[in-house]
Amino acid sequence: MVAAEAGVGVGTVSRVLNGSPQVREATRHRVLAVMTELQYRPSRVATSLSRGTTRAISVFVTFLTRPSVVQRLAGVITVLDAKGYDTVVFNIETAEQRDRHINSLANEAHADGAIIVSLPLARAQLEAIRVRGLPVVVLDAESPGPPRFVVDNTAGGQMATEYLLSLGHRRIAFVGDYSHPDLAFTSAQHRLKGYTVALTLAGIKPDPDLISMMPHSGSAVDPRGMQSALALLDIPRRPTAMFAASDVQAIGLLHAIEERGLRVPEDVSVIGFDDIDAAGLVRLSTIRQPLEESGAIAARKLCELLDGGRPGRRRTVLPLELVARATTSAPTNVSSVNTGATKRQTVPAAAGQRASRPAVRARGPTGGASPSSATHVWREPA
Amino acid sequence: MVAAEAGVGVGTVSRVLNGSPQVREATRHRVLAVMTELQYRPSRVATSLSRGTTRAISVFVTFLTRPSVVQRLAGVITVLDAKGYDTVVFNIETAEQRDRHINSLANEAHADGAIIVSLPLARAQLEAIRVRGLPVVVLDAESPGPPRFVVDNTAGGQMATEYLLSLGHRRIAFVGDYSHPDLAFTSAQHRLKGYTVALTLAGIKPDPDLISMMPHSGSAVDPRGMQSALALLDIPRRPTAMFAASDVQAIGLLHAIEERGLRVPEDVSVIGFDDIDAAGLVRLSTIRQPLEESGAIAARKLCELLDGGRPGRRRTVLPLELVARATTSAPTNVSSVNTGATKRQTVPAAAGQRASRPAVRARGPTGGASPSSATHVWREPA
DNA sequence: ATGAAAGCGCTAACAG
DNA sequence: CTGTTAGCGCTTTCAT
């Protein structure tokens, strides 16, 4: 260590570096002086090697630019940063990337731990990681083994649908996307399931013509997928409400609907899922799941493990809540049907404005199959 | 090295690890066998210490969840990953975080290099980094010293405004936000400047009543700020077009306008800035700047430096282009004025739909003060 | 082709 | 309080 050339031994320099109280002020100052003089920069790597800990966490995300993902990541980074950890981010968009990086996670000593966000892993991969004893926590995926934090997407789909039902809607469409060809997301499927459950419980037979699945959405939504979703508005007895499996899709819908000359929510109600930042911006009704907060929770759990804490419960279900904003209302004109080939609906002259109706919000997740979830509503502060 | 216990010397193990051709197949297999048997995992840290290189890059971003920022980051990560570098991400939201991390960047040997995104640095900080000789590239900020990649925000503001002028608009509002209290962003100011330049060139005196600055927007847009922007629609002789300093604000505007009972673009045109993913989704006209691509470019430049390349040009201006989608059109009713206290405009019965008008796009940045930029337009594929 | 040895920069006993 | 001495796990000559 170069600083040792300045009078003292390496031990003392180390002590100064780590602010050990057992160094005389005089020598400490001398060392400090030499350090700045020599432009000395302690090597993080050497420290890590010596201490056997990197103070770095690997975080795996899928399609980083999706708002829900990046909000989760932000929560993770905030907590990790506060605890003094560096966050190394891996953005997984293909199976190849996933396998390569998960493999390297298991087979190389990189970081002190890992957080895996919205990325389902194969059993073998989970096992490979488990064997290494690397502390891992999983967020938004059902990967058995590490502690994981999830929401009940089926219950969420049910909540959304029941809310629309409670408003008086009977013809409710579902707009989702297929899981990515390589990576196997399942949330949309579960939300769809919740939708069918809710309809069935209400005595309504789910109509396949009211269900539109777009091709997988990488980060942005495929505009062509939006087209096919819009086709739902052209069928006879057009739906009076639409439930989109994500807020991003819902926002796309909102605009497409209005371009079609229809009004939201007067002509058709729209509800999304996630409550990303933009949802509030466009006053979208949605099912809220913790995003930043879920990242923070996962990061805190990992830090616990790193501090020698017990894994605790293997699976934690985070709460969902209905946030009713301005894109949902009772169907204003239940008898509204398409006039055959006429694609565009004339705008009713008396059409009100969206903001005029008070927004409500329901608290707490539904949990079971009870259709009561959408009944206790609460006004949103906004 | 534990694997050495299996017959050979550490040197050989290292050779096997690095796929050196000068190891007999027999021994190689033997070593490999022992490795798996012993569940051996090479230590990235030890390699780094020995080789003197970390294969990791520090990336500093501000308000990670802003779409423009995360798209840039995605571009950075993609390239870095392809080149075999890990990306450690620092999300800076306060001056304290900035100073702490930039300080650590300068005073500790962390990574092999750094990319600083949308974060203006103080001279002293830049100097401290420069002294250390750490390879750095700057993206979307005017920090003199390292190679930097920027766009001409003034020219962009001018482009947007000139486009609206070319459509026939005369009363054009500007909606921006103040720079963050701690971090000093300047893009909105420059875009505002471009706006005033364009108006002035067109012989129009910028009207302070048509300029609305919201409080700084962290990641999400402040809804109250949106209110004050909306107030612009209540003044006598309401503007027929609005230029928002960012797409996020523009999207907020879009919805607020429609809630007010006005139509876009029939009653008021809206143009944004950035061309984030969501802009295409809602068919927002905007000034496109390279986002993912700019991140990729910055990362590639850094890799060049890391490979011993010359810094080259200190400042590279990335191109801007006008993307005309569905939220801008000629003012349909130039004489439209507010009827005094009446806040809501009745929707014209004959109002067309947004998608009916062909979208156009202009190519290339304007560069100078010439008002010709918005003339050569090109249809967008969509 | 491969073993031996030095060293990357730091921490952590262990003596004084 | 502070100097000394072993490593941490890997790469890299230099011999053999």
Side-chain angles (χ1 to χ4, degrees):
Chain A
M1 203 182 298
V2 252
E5 325 290 4
V8 300
V10 295
T12 304
V13 175
S14 179
R15 282 179 266 263
V16 171
L17 239 37
N18 300 292
S20 163
Q22 45 183 14
V23 273
R24 220 188 319 163
E25 271 306 288
T27 46
R28 140 168 290 121
H29 279 345
R30 188 146 37 90
V31 173
L32 255 18
V34 178
M35 280 179 173
T36 51
E37 183 191 347
L38 267 52
Q39 298 209 333
Y40 165 74
R41 321 176 350 142
S43 158
R44 186 52 170 293
V45 166
T47 305
S48 294
L49 180 57
S50 181
R51 282 218 255 255
T53 181
T54 64
R55 297 305 289 184
I57 302 297
S58 295
V59 178
F60 295 78
V61 302
T62 51
F63 296 104
L64 172 62
T65 53
R66 282 187 303 171
S68 60
V69 170
V70 70
Q71 284 189 231
R72 285 195 157 97
L73 176 61
V76 168
I77 294 182
T78 300
V79 168
L80 255 27
D81 183 46
K83 304 260 187 192
Y85 287 95
D86 281 354
T87 306
V88 19
V89 176
F90 298 93
N91 184 24
I92 310 294
E93 307 202 330
T94 67
E96 183 276 324
Q97 286 181 314
R98 178 198 54 203
D99 297 340
R100 177 162 47 90
H101 284 130
I102 292 293
N103 209 48
S104 135
L105 177 66
N107 298 320
E108 282 166 53
H110 267 279
D112 294 345
I115 299 179
I116 302 181
V117 182
S118 303
L119 178 66
L121 256 35
R123 276 208 114 64
Q125 297 178 315
L126 286 166
E127 177 58 13
I129 293 171
R130 192 194 59 74
V131 169
R132 304 314 181 135
L134 183 72
V136 169
V137 1
V138 166
L139 183 50
D140 189 39
E142 292 292 359
S143 298
R148 58 191 189 279
F149 297 89
V150 296
V151 295
D152 185 339
N153 284 301
T154 306
Q158 196 178 332
M159 277 175 78
T161 311
E162 282 170 358
Y163 175 61
L164 295 173
L165 286 167
S166 79
L167 289 174
H169 294 278
R170 286 303 172 266
R171 284 187 65 73
I172 302 173
F174 176 88
V175 177
D177 47 10
Y178 295 111
S179 80
H180 191 281
D182 292 334
L183 294 351
F185 308 134
T186 55
S187 1
Q189 275 88 327
H190 285 120
R191 291 168 194 173
L192 171 57
K193 176 158 177 235
Y195 158 88
T196 61
V197 167
L199 288 183
T200 306
L201 281 177
I204 299 176
K205 190 161 173 292
D207 180 349
D209 290 348
L210 291 183
I211 297 175
S212 162
M213 300 294 270
M214 345 187 155
H216 67 92
S217 60
S219 46
V221 160
D222 185 335
R224 288 162 313 168
M226 199 51 73
Q227 291 305 322
S228 72
L230 269 189
L232 292 175
L233 296 174
D234 291 331
I235 63 176
R237 295 196 55 231
R238 134 163 73 77
T240 61
M242 308 181 85
F243 167 33
S246 77
D247 283 352
V248 173
Q249 292 174 81
I251 292 173
L253 269 182
L254 243 41
H255 284 265
I257 290 170
E258 285 173 350
E259 283 191 2
R260 264 266 197 301
L262 298 177
R263 309 269 308 168
V264 175
E266 290 79 6
D267 298 311
V268 39
S269 286
V270 172
I271 190 167
F273 204 112
D274 286 341
D275 198 27
I276 60 177
D277 285 342
L281 186 63
V282 304
R283 302 197 46 66
L284 174 69
S285 296
T286 191
I287 302 297
R288 175 182 203 288
Q289 69 169 316
L291 293 176
E292 296 227 18
E293 181 57 17
S294 72
I297 290 172
R300 274 191 288 261
K301 169 52 99 181
L302 183 62
C303 290
E304 266 180 56
L305 294 181
L306 261 21
D307 291 344
R310 299 288 79 230
R313 45 165 19 72
R314 253 72 204 47
R315 180 171 185 273
T316 306
V317 179
L318 267 20
L320 249 25
E321 70 176 333
L322 170 67
V323 180
R325 295 203 183 91
T327 60
T328 43
S329 71
T332 42
N333 186 5
V334 184
S335 65
S336 87
V337 281
N338 274 344
T339 337
T342 306
K343 283 196 174 181
R344 287 144 208 160
Q345 215 64 12
T346 337
V347 179
Q353 58 163 39
R354 234 157 53 195
S356 58
R357 204 180 23 67
V360 287
R361 171 205 267 173
R363 289 206 155 276
T366 152
S370 149
S372 62
S373 63
T375 52
H376 30 80
V377 287
W378 185 77
R379 275 163 207 268
E380 201 202 15
Chain B
M1 205 181 297
V2 250
E5 324 291 2
V8 300
V10 297
T12 304
V13 174
S14 178
R15 282 178 266 261
V16 171
L17 240 39
N18 300 293
S20 162
Q22 46 184 14
V23 273
R24 220 185 321 163
E25 271 306 288
T27 48
R28 142 169 288 122
H29 280 345
R30 188 148 36 90
V31 173
L32 253 19
V34 179
M35 278 178 174
T36 51
E37 183 191 347
L38 268 51
Q39 299 208 333
Y40 166 73
R41 325 177 344 144
S43 157
R44 183 62 170 287
V45 166
T47 307
S48 293
L49 179 58
S50 181
R51 284 217 254 256
T53 179
T54 64
R55 298 303 287 183
I57 303 297
S58 295
V59 178
F60 295 78
V61 302
T62 51
F63 295 104
L64 172 62
T65 53
R66 282 188 303 171
S68 59
V69 170
V70 70
Q71 285 191 229
R72 286 195 155 98
L73 176 62
V76 167
I77 293 183
T78 299
V79 168
L80 255 26
D81 183 45
K83 304 260 188 192
Y85 287 95
D86 282 354
T87 307
V88 17
V89 176
F90 298 92
N91 184 24
I92 310 294
E93 307 202 330
T94 67
E96 183 275 326
Q97 286 181 313
R98 178 197 57 203
D99 296 340
R100 178 163 47 90
H101 285 130
I102 292 294
N103 209 47
S104 136
L105 177 66
N107 298 322
E108 281 167 54
H110 266 278
D112 293 346
I115 300 181
I116 302 179
V117 182
S118 305
L119 178 67
L121 257 36
R123 275 209 115 63
Q125 297 177 315
L126 286 165
E127 177 59 13
I129 293 171
R130 193 194 59 72
V131 168
R132 304 312 181 136
L134 182 73
V136 169
V137 2
V138 165
L139 183 51
D140 189 40
E142 295 290 1
S143 298
R148 58 190 189 279
F149 297 88
V150 296
V151 295
D152 185 338
N153 284 302
T154 306
Q158 197 178 333
M159 278 175 78
T161 311
E162 282 170 358
Y163 175 61
L164 295 172
L165 286 167
S166 79
L167 289 174
H169 294 279
R170 286 301 171 267
R171 284 187 66 73
I172 302 174
F174 176 88
V175 176
D177 47 11
Y178 294 111
S179 80
H180 191 281
D182 290 336
L183 293 352
F185 308 134
T186 54
S187 0
Q189 276 88 328
H190 285 120
R191 291 167 194 173
L192 171 57
K193 176 156 177 233
Y195 158 88
T196 61
V197 167
L199 289 182
T200 307
L201 282 176
I204 299 175
K205 190 161 174 291
D207 180 349
D209 290 347
L210 292 184
I211 297 175
S212 162
M213 300 295 268
M214 345 187 155
H216 68 92
S217 61
S219 46
V221 160
D222 186 335
R224 288 162 311 169
M226 198 52 72
Q227 292 305 323
S228 73
L230 269 189
L232 292 174
L233 296 174
D234 292 331
I235 64 176
R237 293 195 59 232
R238 137 163 71 80
T240 62
M242 307 181 86
F243 167 33
S246 76
D247 283 352
V248 173
Q249 291 174 83
I251 291 173
L253 269 183
L254 242 42
H255 284 265
I257 289 170
E258 286 173 350
E259 283 192 1
R260 264 263 196 301
L262 298 178
R263 309 267 310 168
V264 175
E266 290 80 4
D267 298 311
V268 39
S269 285
V270 172
I271 189 167
F273 204 112
D274 285 341
D275 198 27
I276 61 177
D277 285 341
L281 186 64
V282 304
R283 303 199 44 68
L284 173 69
S285 297
T286 192
I287 302 296
R288 175 182 202 288
Q289 69 169 315
L291 292 176
E292 295 228 19
E293 181 58 18
S294 71
I297 290 172
R300 275 191 287 264
K301 169 53 101 183
L302 183 61
C303 290
E304 266 180 55
L305 294 181
L306 261 20
D307 292 342
R310 299 286 81 231
R313 46 167 15 76
R314 251 69 201 57
R315 180 172 185 275
T316 305
V317 179
L318 267 20
L320 248 26
E321 70 177 334
L322 171 66
V323 180
R325 295 203 184 92
T327 60
T328 43
S329 71
T332 43
N333 187 5
V334 185
S335 65
S336 87
V337 279
N338 273 343
T339 339
T342 306
K343 283 197 173 179
R344 287 143 209 163
Q345 215 65 10
T346 336
V347 180
Q353 58 163 42
R354 232 156 57 193
S356 59
R357 205 180 22 68
V360 289
R361 171 204 266 174
R363 289 203 154 281
T366 151
S370 150
S372 61
S373 63
T375 53
H376 30 79
V377 286
W378 184 78
R379 275 165 210 267
E380 201 202 15

